[in-house]
Amino acid sequence: MDKEKQILRHIRENPFVSQQELADKMGISRSAVAGYIAQLTKRGEIKGRAYILRDEELIVCIGGANLDRKARAKQQVRLHSSNPVTISESCGGVGRNIAENLGRLGCNVSLISCVGEDKEGDWILQETKKHGVDISQVWRLPTQRTGTYTALLDMDGEMVVSLANMDIYDTLTPQMFAERWSHIAAARAVYLDTNLPADCLAYVIGRCRDEGISLFVDPVSSAKAEKLPERLDGVEAILPNREEAELLSGMEIKSVQDCEEACARIRARGVKSVVVTLGEQGIYYQSEDQAEQLAPYPTEVVDVTGAGDAFASGLLYGVVNGEPLGRACRLGMAASALTLQTEFSVSPLLKPEELEETINQYEEER
């Protein structure tokens, strides 16, 4: 009997059964149960909602929604020369990617971003909506062109250089976010990327702090991380890579000990938890009462684009479903591993049961 049928059977036996009780009965995690229930609810097989309130709570993703172009080299890349490549296009943007990932995981998710009134903007919104993301809060800006991100990948799928045209985000203002605030304030959690102007970032961070809204921040890049305010009080977690963590902490990171000190410095700016992605070295996370380095899950790398967004999505999925930070990080690494296996920025493999299977397989092989 598959997991969904088992859940339906248990609910028929006890309509008031809790997600944790279901998890205990089935020998899986609570977050996995939450994912199955969300999918069953969307299909109309579960109509009662009293026992799945958390699943129905909103996650708002604020940030980039772009057209991604990937040029994969057919031979070793030569700078200052013409390189034969194959080119593909897909929907991208950190905020949008994370929203789609969460939608695929069965979460109730909304995107706040901006696109132009052009064919690229139309396509991005149509594709994002297909995966259960609420796009009603996205601004259409008639005088602007939709953002684009172009990456050159080597034959192994590693990024050589990327080019970003994100001028459209410079038109956003704090007042525009104030007009959207009733939607943001209803969220269980907010995920914010730094494609926004500095004054908008400060506005969202400040209001989330003042109103007790759980906020997660993605620095996106070293250049964009510089737009963050010095004080980050109220931020639940920030998720930099090594280079971004170096900028945020003001120190070089060459070892786990360095990473520990860097996280402590970032936390001194007011962040509750810091999770640093370290590529082949996995991740290191630190909060007030716990810290740990986790090795990456072994996987065949087809394309690295989107792996960081997938990690953040898996982590957020775990956190909003009541998982402790360490477990949420493992869900993030599973999501990242599944995304690395495909050429897509958002993996079609991303499902709650696949996250669980990836984690279990790794634990069994250890």
Side-chain angles (χ1 to χ4, degrees):
M1 185 182 298
D2 65 34
K3 296 291 192 300
E4 289 186 349
K5 289 181 179 178
Q6 289 181 53
I7 286 173
L8 290 172
R9 178 170 60 80
H10 288 307
I11 289 173
R12 288 189 189 100
E13 293 172 354
N14 177 12
F16 300 101
V17 66
S18 71
Q19 290 183 9
Q20 188 58 59
E21 288 171 331
L22 285 170
D24 294 339
K25 287 175 181 290
M26 298 173 64
I28 60 177
S29 71
R30 184 181 180 280
S31 57
V33 169
Y36 287 122
I37 287 177
Q39 295 294 341
L40 289 165
T41 302
K42 284 187 175 182
R43 297 206 302 269
E45 295 185 54
I46 294 178
K47 299 185 184 298
R49 294 171 182 249
Y51 62 96
I52 54 168
L53 289 175
R54 183 175 296 277
D55 303 325
E56 298 303 310
E57 290 177 346
L58 180 66
I59 304 170
V60 172
C61 296
I62 304 174
N66 314 317
L67 177 67
D68 277 0
R69 295 188 177 97
K70 297 179 187 176
R72 181 184 289 272
K74 295 182 178 180
Q75 60 189 37
Q76 185 176 354
V77 174
R78 295 182 179 181
L79 300 181
H80 314 296
S81 179
S82 177
N83 290 270
V85 299
T86 56
I87 295 178
S88 62
E89 292 186 345
S90 63
C91 297
V94 174
R96 195 218 68 87
N97 284 353
I98 290 172
E100 182 180 332
N101 280 328
L102 290 169
R104 288 177 179 271
L105 290 170
C107 296
N108 180 20
V109 60
S110 176
L111 174 66
I112 297 182
S113 186
C114 59
V115 296
E117 287 190 353
D118 47 27
K119 62 180 182 180
E120 291 85 359
D122 291 340
W123 185 55
I124 288 169
L125 294 182
Q126 290 169 7
E127 289 298 310
T128 305
K129 186 177 180 180
K130 282 181 184 178
H131 300 288
V133 179
D134 174 14
I135 58 168
S136 65
Q137 304 301 306
V138 177
W139 290 285
R140 300 299 302 268
L141 304 180
T143 62
Q144 299 293 322
R145 294 192 62 179
T146 296
T148 60
Y149 172 87
T150 304
L152 172 61
L153 310 176
D154 63 21
M155 292 186 294
D156 296 324
E158 294 290 336
M159 185 173 66
V160 177
V161 66
S162 64
L163 307 169
N165 178 3
M166 307 292 179
D167 292 347
I168 188 171
Y169 301 113
D170 293 336
T171 64
L172 298 178
T173 66
Q175 180 58 37
M176 293 170 73
F177 285 94
E179 293 169 359
R180 291 281 195 268
W181 201 259
S182 61
H183 184 80
I184 297 170
R188 163 69 174 80
V190 173
Y191 200 90
L192 175 68
D193 80 39
T194 55
N195 281 299
L196 275 59
D199 57 352
C200 293
L201 292 172
Y203 177 81
V204 173
I205 291 170
R207 282 204 68 169
C208 284
R209 176 198 63 225
D210 295 343
E211 299 179 23
I213 300 170
S214 187
L215 177 65
F216 298 77
V217 175
D218 190 325
V220 178
S221 70
S222 295
K224 293 177 181 179
E226 291 182 331
K227 295 187 290 182
L228 288 169
E230 176 61 30
R231 295 303 307 174
L232 297 170
D233 301 271
V235 174
E236 187 70 30
I238 192 166
L239 285 73
N241 62 21
R242 186 196 303 268
E243 184 177 332
E244 294 153 8
E246 289 179 336
L247 182 140
L248 291 167
S249 64
M251 63 173 285
E252 196 171 6
I253 299 174
K254 292 185 175 181
S255 65
V256 176
Q257 289 73 26
D258 290 341
C259 200
E260 181 180 356
E261 172 61 24
C263 287
R265 292 189 184 188
I266 297 170
R267 287 181 53 244
R269 294 174 62 174
V271 180
K272 295 180 183 177
S273 300
V274 183
V275 183
V276 183
T277 53
L278 299 167
E280 294 180 354
Q281 292 179 288
I283 65 106
Y284 177 87
Y285 71 86
Q286 183 185 105
S287 63
E288 182 179 4
D289 56 1
Q290 58 181 322
E292 186 179 10
Q293 182 185 13
L294 299 173
Y297 294 163
T299 189
E300 179 182 354
V301 177
V302 174
D303 188 336
V304 300
T305 310
D309 297 342
F311 172 80
S313 305
L315 182 147
L316 187 58
Y317 167 75
V319 168
V320 298
N321 282 295
E323 300 287 0
L325 183 58
R327 172 71 180 179
C329 286
R330 287 167 171 82
L331 288 164
M333 290 197 303
S336 180
L338 291 169
T339 302
L340 288 168
Q341 296 171 22
T342 75
E343 61 185 9
F344 302 102
S345 297
V346 175
S347 172
L349 303 175
L350 209 60
K351 300 175 182 178
E353 59 267 31
E354 294 294 336
L355 296 185
E356 293 294 327
E357 185 175 332
T358 300
I359 293 173
N360 292 338
Q361 182 179 353
Y362 176 75
E363 296 295 333
E364 289 172 2
E365 291 175 353
R366 289 181 63 184

